[in-house]
Amino acid sequence: MAGIHIERVTKSYGQLAVLKDFSLEVKDGEFVVFVGPSGCGKSTMLKILAGLEEASSGSIRIGGRDVTDLAPGDRDIAMVFQNYALYPHLTVRKNMGFGLKMRGTDSTEIDRRVTDAAKILGVEHLLDRRPKALSGGQRQRVALGRAIVREPQAFLMDEPLSNLDAKLRVHTRAEISALHKRLGVTTIYVTHDQIEAMTMADRIVIMRDGIIQQIADPDTMFRKPANLFVAGFIGSPGMNFLRATVTSNGANPAVRLFGHEVPLQASQSLAGRDVVVGLRPEHIVAGPGPVTFEVTPRLVESLGSEKYIYVDVPSENRAEVARSGGDERRTDTIIARLINPDERIADGRITLSFDPARLHLFDATTQASIE
Amino acid sequence: MKPRFSLDLARPSRRHWLGYLLLAPAVLLIGLIIIYPLIVSVDISFQNVNIARLDQPRRPFTTANYERLFASGDFWNASWVTLKLIVIVSLFCFVIGLATALLVNNKFKGRTFARLLVALPWAMPEVIAVVIFAWMFDSSFGLMNWVFIKLGFIDTTINWFSSPAAAFAVVCITMIWKGYPFVSIMMLAGLQSIPEDFYNAARVDGANAWQRLVNITIPSLMPVLGVTLVLVMLWVFRDFSIIYVMTGGGPLKATQSLSIMTYEQAFGFFKMGYASAIGVVTLIICVIASRLMIGRAPDNI
Ligand SMILES: Nc1ncnc2c1ncn2[C@@H]1O[C@H](COP(=O)(O)OP(=O)(O)O)[C@@H](O)[C@H]1O
Ligand SMILES: [Mg+2]
């Protein structure tokens, strides 16, 4: 077990800069998740950590030892691959023992460790099968098993759940967390799924185009996103963004949202600035509140225990915010996520409200959060 | 509803009819050009026929051809020559084919050109290849004698085609040169189907290059390897033109393989019944050998 220090790592493929100045300190036993949209350089960073790719510059230390130019096999790390990379010609037992065999561990020791790992993961009955005869979930466990028998200083996992179906993914997510608690080995986990990141991580590193956007624990990430990208990426559905200009209304600065003057708890110096106001869908509630407005929903989606209400945004509040890939949200609607709403929608009208204290403020030009 | 007399192939119960219908022409053709001659030659091998003619009445059934065959020293000599050829040529084809495949599977400048170069002998017609090699090994103007003398391996020119051992070696070399690209192409295809992550996982597990070759590359190639081996062996077994053009089976029958012997008996001595018997025995050996090989190939992947 060991901490990992990544210092100013960069990586370019020819002209293409994939990682720009990546620095991170991972504590011993920590579970760190790299998250970001596809193509942002997560896998590349993981491969550099594993020694499968060479960093263009920067240095890496694992457990205090400089491993920047060490072969993958000498770094004492284990990796779990997205497609598991189990060898089809070997049985599960041999697959799991492969790493130890390559290191010349004696066979009784290999056997003992493989059996132990198989017990932990509940794959003892599969040990003599070939990977081909396993289900997706079982292969996933075997791949984890192959990593844990090595008893390495750190685990690196590259989207290990993305080949599983939704239900199994939720289940295995919890199992990996439990396994981490049990073994306490430093783990770096890569995913593009913010829910995985939020549920599993001690700390999240959120990346975009090879640049770290924010490093924080899941709670902070949700409550205090550093910029518009993080705010839009974390949470489902993502945060609503509204454009406004701060006005000075006597003592307090304020913004105009949905035709209401909304006072802000912010410094007077903001007056006159263009801002993007962020409001999480779950912070809009049904019924009257500090800021109340009545709307005609464009669309209501019911998920049983909750409802998603799509609301038109007045044109003065429409914000052009580039969101992360895949999450194509219209700029002219916001979403309200109502948990068990009692409020009936009468004549197509519904009363919604929000608390101005819940608003996030971002600079419209730099996209950074305003405290 | 009026009854339908048209052949409704879309019905689930008749769906396989279409398959048979589409296969029929191919089956007929194969029957005509492969099965029928096969039956005829088996039939002829049990008759005392010199020049086979289909319009003549059948001769009486006899096993004389086979008795003569198994008693003949020539047959055992030809079998031994064929076996030696198969073992030596297949072995070297595999070593060279695998090595070149591994080589051109790496990323380097001019890889496409290198791949082309590796595959070149395969594209060359056999007879042309033989003429080139016959020239290179020519006793008076040949390149090889010159090279060997310059390198100091020999001090007088070797007459390659009058010494049995040397002639056999030249035939082997020509066949290897002609045969390895096929192995190389097959192996390259096999190599490219091995996921990169297998190697990444092995590297993380601390396997060095040799361990990766032995533990991942070779086992992953096994299925392709088995099929390729059978195909190469069958090719050596029945290849005729290289040996015939190069040595004609000589000197002293040192390069007379079963196919050369068959040809010589049939069209040299016009003993078609006897030649058919050799052909039938060859066929049986081929079938058994390939069954064994394919049956042994591991069925993973
Ligand atoms: N071997 C390579 N050569 C050139 N570009 C690459 C290579 N590997 C990755 N890239 C590029 O680097 C970027 C980051 O890739 P990757 O780290 O795999 O992203 P992800 O965050 O989805 O795992 C992508 O734009 C990809 O196209
Ligand atoms: Mg990736």
Side-chain angles (χ1 to χ4, degrees):
Chain A
M1 268 173 271
I4 299 173
H5 304 255
I6 305 171
E7 213 175 298
R8 314 207 61 157
V9 165
T10 67
K11 174 74 184 173
S12 314
Y13 290 109
Q15 289 293 310
L16 180 71
V18 175
L19 289 174
K20 297 154 198 156
D21 204 12
F22 193 108
S23 296
L24 176 68
E25 187 112 352
V26 180
K27 288 192 284 290
D28 186 8
E30 204 175 12
F31 196 113
V32 171
V33 174
F34 293 176
V35 69
S38 173
C40 70
K42 311 177 296 285
S43 297
T44 306
M45 188 59 232
L46 207 65
K47 282 186 184 152
I48 291 172
L49 277 175
L52 296 169
E53 292 275 358
E54 190 194 358
S56 303
S57 71
S59 73
I60 293 164
R61 278 182 295 142
I62 299 177
R65 190 167 58 124
D66 188 344
V67 299
T68 315
D69 201 25
L70 231 51
D74 300 332
R75 295 187 177 201
D76 202 11
I77 40 109
M79 193 160 171
V80 179
F81 293 85
Q82 179 174 351
N83 45 20
Y84 316 138
L86 299 176
Y87 309 127
H89 55 277
L90 298 180
T91 59
V92 167
R93 188 190 301 280
K94 294 235 173 82
N95 260 295
M96 286 172 67
F98 188 81
L100 294 175
K101 195 176 155 209
M102 290 304 113
R103 279 145 211 275
T105 314
D106 73 58
S107 62
T108 50
E109 171 73 1
I110 295 179
D111 234 36
R112 190 184 64 74
R113 287 215 224 166
V114 168
T115 317
D116 284 354
K119 258 190 210 128
I120 292 175
L121 292 162
V123 293
E124 294 153 285
H125 59 296
L126 307 172
L127 280 177
D128 293 309
R129 290 204 203 164
R130 296 272 168 98
K132 206 171 62 173
L134 303 182
S135 72
Q138 290 169 335
R139 283 180 207 184
Q140 217 283 328
R141 282 152 186 274
V142 174
L144 281 176
R146 186 166 67 180
I148 68 176
V149 289
R150 288 257 318 278
E151 297 173 9
Q153 299 226 3
F155 290 132
L156 308 177
M157 306 189 186
D158 193 355
E159 312 215 9
L161 302 186
S162 58
N163 284 354
L164 301 179
D165 62 65
K167 215 167 180 174
L168 204 52
R169 201 175 318 168
V170 172
H171 178 71
T172 316
R173 199 166 77 195
E175 259 182 27
I176 292 181
S177 291
L179 193 67
H180 174 252
K181 287 233 163 53
R182 175 173 179 161
L183 302 175
V185 178
T186 314
T187 304
I188 296 185
Y189 182 106
V190 163
T191 178
H192 62 266
D193 180 358
Q194 57 97 14
I195 297 180
E196 274 175 36
M198 293 296 278
T199 49
M200 302 171 82
D202 291 331
R203 268 196 308 160
I204 297 176
V205 177
I206 185 163
M207 296 167 67
R208 178 200 202 181
D209 297 337
I211 301 173
I212 297 180
Q213 303 292 306
Q214 189 173 3
I215 304 174
D217 60 281
D219 238 32
T220 311
M221 201 63 100
F222 190 78
R223 284 178 207 281
K224 291 184 179 155
N227 57 35
L228 273 176
F229 175 80
V230 177
F233 193 85
I234 299 289
S236 171
M239 192 185 275
N240 298 303
F241 297 126
L242 301 163
R243 173 178 282 276
T245 305
V246 181
T247 54
S248 195
N249 172 13
N252 272 354
V255 287
R256 243 181 105 72
L257 299 174
F258 291 97
H260 293 267
E261 280 298 306
V262 179
L264 298 174
Q265 288 144 344
S267 87
Q268 193 67 48
S269 63
L270 277 178
R273 261 167 75 180
D274 276 339
V275 293
V276 173
V277 179
L279 179 58
R280 293 219 176 262
E282 40 277 314
H283 292 155
I284 303 177
V285 294
V291 179
T292 309
F293 54 107
E294 207 186 44
V295 292
T296 311
R298 170 196 288 268
L299 175 72
V300 178
E301 284 177 348
S302 179
L303 278 69
S305 61
E306 56 191 84
K307 278 194 168 69
Y308 292 170
I309 315 272
Y310 291 74
V311 178
D312 282 330
V313 177
S315 57
E316 58 168 349
N317 286 139
R318 286 180 193 166
E320 293 291 337
V321 175
R323 289 187 182 256
S324 61
D327 188 11
E328 284 299 324
R329 280 268 294 275
R330 298 171 61 142
T331 56
D332 58 352
T333 49
I334 61 166
I335 302 178
R337 182 176 171 212
L338 309 181
I339 316 284
N340 292 322
D342 318 319
E343 193 87 355
R344 301 304 301 253
I345 301 177
D347 307 329
R349 305 280 293 172
I350 185 169
T351 306
L352 299 174
S353 64
F354 62 85
D355 180 355
R358 298 286 203 181
L359 292 178
H360 299 265
L361 284 186
F362 302 94
D363 189 303
T365 41
T366 64
Q367 308 210 329
S369 168
I370 301 170
E371 285 300 316
Chain B
M1 225 171 124
K2 75 174 189 195
R4 294 179 58 180
F5 293 108
S6 67
L7 193 58
D8 184 7
L9 291 173
R11 279 197 211 171
S13 63
R14 291 187 187 160
R15 212 175 293 160
H16 55 285
W17 286 17
L18 182 65
Y20 290 132
L21 211 66
L22 293 175
L23 271 178
V27 171
L28 279 178
L29 206 65
I30 287 174
L32 210 65
I33 64 175
I34 296 181
I35 310 289
Y36 176 66
L38 196 70
I39 291 168
V40 169
S41 70
V42 171
D43 187 35
I44 289 175
S45 74
F46 286 109
Q47 300 168 41
N48 187 6
V49 180
N50 286 340
I51 298 178
R53 292 186 54 177
L54 295 176
D55 54 351
Q56 284 187 347
R58 274 192 95 253
R59 302 281 189 89
F61 177 87
T62 169
T63 55
N65 288 328
Y66 289 96
E67 283 160 28
R68 205 181 126 208
L69 184 64
F70 291 119
S72 136
D74 276 358
F75 171 73
W76 296 112
N77 172 61
S79 300
W80 173 235
V81 168
T82 310
L83 184 70
K84 277 196 295 185
L85 266 181
I86 288 177
V87 172
I88 293 170
V89 173
S90 304
L91 184 74
F92 280 95
C93 277
F94 264 83
V95 173
I96 297 172
L98 185 60
T100 47
L102 287 171
L103 205 67
V104 298
N105 194 37
N106 286 319
K107 286 198 186 83
F108 59 90
K109 267 216 173 82
R111 177 170 73 161
T112 320
F113 183 68
R115 285 186 181 175
L116 203 71
L117 220 59
V118 166
L120 193 64
W122 192 58
M124 191 172 289
E126 288 196 344
V127 175
I128 295 177
V130 173
V131 170
I132 293 171
F133 271 83
W135 248 37
M136 290 204 306
F137 284 98
D138 187 277
S139 52
S140 20
F141 330 101
L143 175 72
M144 285 310 181
N145 272 334
W146 181 78
V147 168
F148 285 165
I149 287 175
K150 282 283 177 216
L151 291 175
F153 292 160
I154 51 177
D155 38 74
T156 58
T157 59
I158 296 182
N159 195 344
W160 292 94
F161 296 104
S162 50
S163 143
F168 186 79
V170 173
V171 167
C172 282
I173 289 168
T174 312
M175 287 189 108
I176 291 164
W177 186 81
K178 192 75 186 70
Y180 87 84
F182 175 69
V183 180
S184 191
I185 290 165
M186 297 290 279
M187 293 297 112
L188 193 58
L191 284 175
Q192 283 171 352
S193 71
I194 304 176
E196 187 59 31
D197 274 348
F198 282 12
Y199 293 108
N200 283 340
R203 276 211 281 271
V204 171
D205 273 345
N208 58 35
W210 174 251
Q211 286 172 319
R212 291 199 297 272
L213 178 72
V214 172
N215 289 295
I216 296 167
T217 309
I218 306 263
S220 301
L221 287 178
M222 253 0 225
V224 191
L225 219 68
V227 174
T228 311
L229 188 65
V230 170
L231 290 175
V232 169
M233 286 172 75
L234 288 184
W235 168 70
V236 178
F237 206 112
R238 51 173 192 74
D239 187 79
F240 168 77
S241 47
I242 290 179
I243 305 177
Y244 190 75
V245 175
M246 186 156 258
T247 65
L252 301 172
K253 300 199 191 313
T255 57
Q256 192 178 60
S257 67
L258 283 169
S259 39
I260 297 284
M261 187 180 171
T262 311
Y263 177 84
E264 198 169 56
Q265 292 297 334
F267 302 107
F269 306 134
F270 295 105
K271 298 217 179 302
M272 297 217 174
Y274 187 51
S276 293
I278 306 173
V280 170
V281 170
T282 309
L283 179 77
I284 291 170
I285 296 172
C286 278
V287 169
I288 292 174
S290 38
R291 266 310 312 155
L292 285 179
M293 305 290 309
I294 302 224
R296 287 175 69 87
D299 54 356
N300 54 23
I301 298 187

